[in-house]
């Protein structure tokens, strides 16, 4: 992770369109045409899931939500308005998946701390479903992480709940965890009687915590 990380802001992008873009971004990084990049964006409502996700974890066929299988680690998760999506396209040769995931968890925790919200990572007990991601002190999940490394370059990344409709998580099993409670910065702020941070404020905090510097759009 020695190359400077460029922060690229995008708006709402259809999920399937972002997959096509991501493939291009990965090829550009593998070919050495660009440096490491962090893309921050949002998606219209969609459920994504990895190849090992049990079908019983997915929404019912009657659900109005789009469902897309993807080539990343992790289980089913929701993307939608009010959520900050971060796609990391980074050269991590010499480091393993656990290293970049831990780095990302710690970066998001630092960003939330700068915004005034205490958060933590959790170790996964042997034989238990993965607890990768970012959690509040009372074990509500506020950020999900799912990544892939191919040819020494990462893709996919994280989904941070800023102000999404939390009811969207009730129609499936998020992250393979039957008993998980998903939360958001807006919900945590409301509990305090405070205003939630804006999307722009959250983007800036995340970029700073990950050492990213603003760049031109892709």
């Amino acid at each position: 992770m020695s190359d400077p990380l460029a922060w690229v802001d995008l708006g709402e992008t259809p999920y399937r369109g972002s997959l096509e873009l991501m493939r291009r971004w990965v090829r550009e990084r593998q070919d050495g045409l660009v440096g490491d990049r962090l893309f921050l964006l949002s998606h219209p409502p969609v459920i994504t899931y990895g190849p090992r996700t049990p079908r019983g974890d997915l929404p019912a066929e009657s659900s109005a939500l789009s469902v897309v299988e993807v080539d990343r680690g992790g289980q089913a998760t929701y993307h939608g308005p009010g959520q900050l999506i971060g796609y990391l396209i980074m050269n991590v040769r010499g480091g393993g998946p656990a290293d970049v995931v831990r780095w990302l968890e710690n970066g998001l925790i630092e960003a939330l701390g700068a915004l005034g919200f205490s958060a933590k990572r959790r170790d996964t007990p042997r034989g238990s479903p993965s607890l990768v991601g970012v959690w509040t002190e009372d074990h509500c999940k506020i950020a999900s992480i799912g990544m892939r490394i191919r040819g020494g370059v990462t893709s996919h990344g994280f989904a941070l709940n800023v102000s999404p409709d939390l009811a969207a998580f009730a129609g499936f099993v998020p992250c393979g965890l039957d008993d998980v409670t998903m939360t958001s910065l807006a919900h945590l702020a409301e509990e305090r009687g405070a205003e939630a941070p804006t999307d722009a404020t959250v983007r800036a905090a995340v970029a700073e915590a990950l050492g990213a510097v603003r760049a031109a759009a892709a």
Side-chain angles (χ1 to χ4, degrees), residues 82-84 108-109 111-119 134-136 140-143 160-164 166 182-203 205-206:
Q83 196 178 59
L84 178 61
L108 293 175
I109 290 166
L112 294 182
L115 293 167
F117 298 92
S118 179
V134 178
W135 302 78
T136 61
C140 295
K141 194 169 189 181
I142 195 164
L160 173 61
N161 295 333
V162 180
S163 58
L166 293 176
M182 304 298 293
T183 192
S184 67
L185 295 179
H187 181 73
L188 296 176
E190 183 180 10
E191 289 182 331
R192 302 178 184 178
E195 289 189 11
T198 65
D199 177 76
T201 300
V202 177
R203 287 181 182 228
V206 168

Side-chain angles (χ1 to χ4, degrees), residues 6-189:
W7 161 22
V8 182
D9 265 327
L10 302 176
E12 184 176 271
T13 306
Y15 188 77
R16 292 183 187 276
S18 75
L19 291 179
E20 292 301 318
L21 288 171
M22 200 182 311
R23 294 185 185 103
R24 189 191 85 197
W25 298 335
V26 169
R27 289 195 301 270
E28 290 172 345
R29 187 65 188 96
Q30 289 171 335
D31 293 342
L33 300 177
V34 295
D36 297 336
R37 292 187 286 184
L38 167 67
F39 296 88
L40 296 179
L41 60 148
S42 65
H43 291 309
V46 63
I47 302 289
T48 70
Y49 66 98
R52 297 183 181 179
T53 301
R55 292 304 183 264
D57 285 3
L58 300 177
E61 291 185 5
S62 59
S63 172
L65 284 172
S66 297
V67 179
V68 180
E69 183 175 2
V70 292
D71 59 351
R72 58 156 173 79
Q75 302 295 331
T77 192
Y78 168 77
H79 299 317
Q83 196 178 59
L84 178 61
I85 306 299
Y87 290 137
L88 281 160
I89 314 299
M90 305 174 65
N91 185 334
V92 291
R93 290 188 184 278
D99 298 320
V100 69
V101 168
R102 178 71 63 86
W103 172 81
L104 182 52
E105 286 176 324
N106 288 334
L108 293 175
I109 290 166
E110 181 181 336
L112 294 182
L115 293 167
F117 298 92
S118 179
K120 65 180 183 179
R121 61 174 305 278
R122 296 172 66 187
D123 291 321
T124 302
R126 185 179 297 274
S128 298
S130 173
L131 298 179
V132 165
V134 178
W135 302 78
T136 61
E137 295 295 337
D138 58 352
H139 289 184
C140 295
K141 194 169 189 181
I142 195 164
S144 301
I145 294 173
M147 303 190 73
R148 174 177 177 165
I149 299 177
R150 186 174 185 178
V153 174
T154 65
S155 59
H156 299 281
F158 66 86
L160 173 61
N161 295 333
V162 180
S163 58
D165 178 5
L166 293 176
F169 292 95
F172 70 105
V173 179
C175 309
L177 301 169
D178 291 308
D179 58 350
V180 69
T181 298
M182 304 298 293
T183 192
S184 67
L185 295 179
H187 181 73
L188 296 176

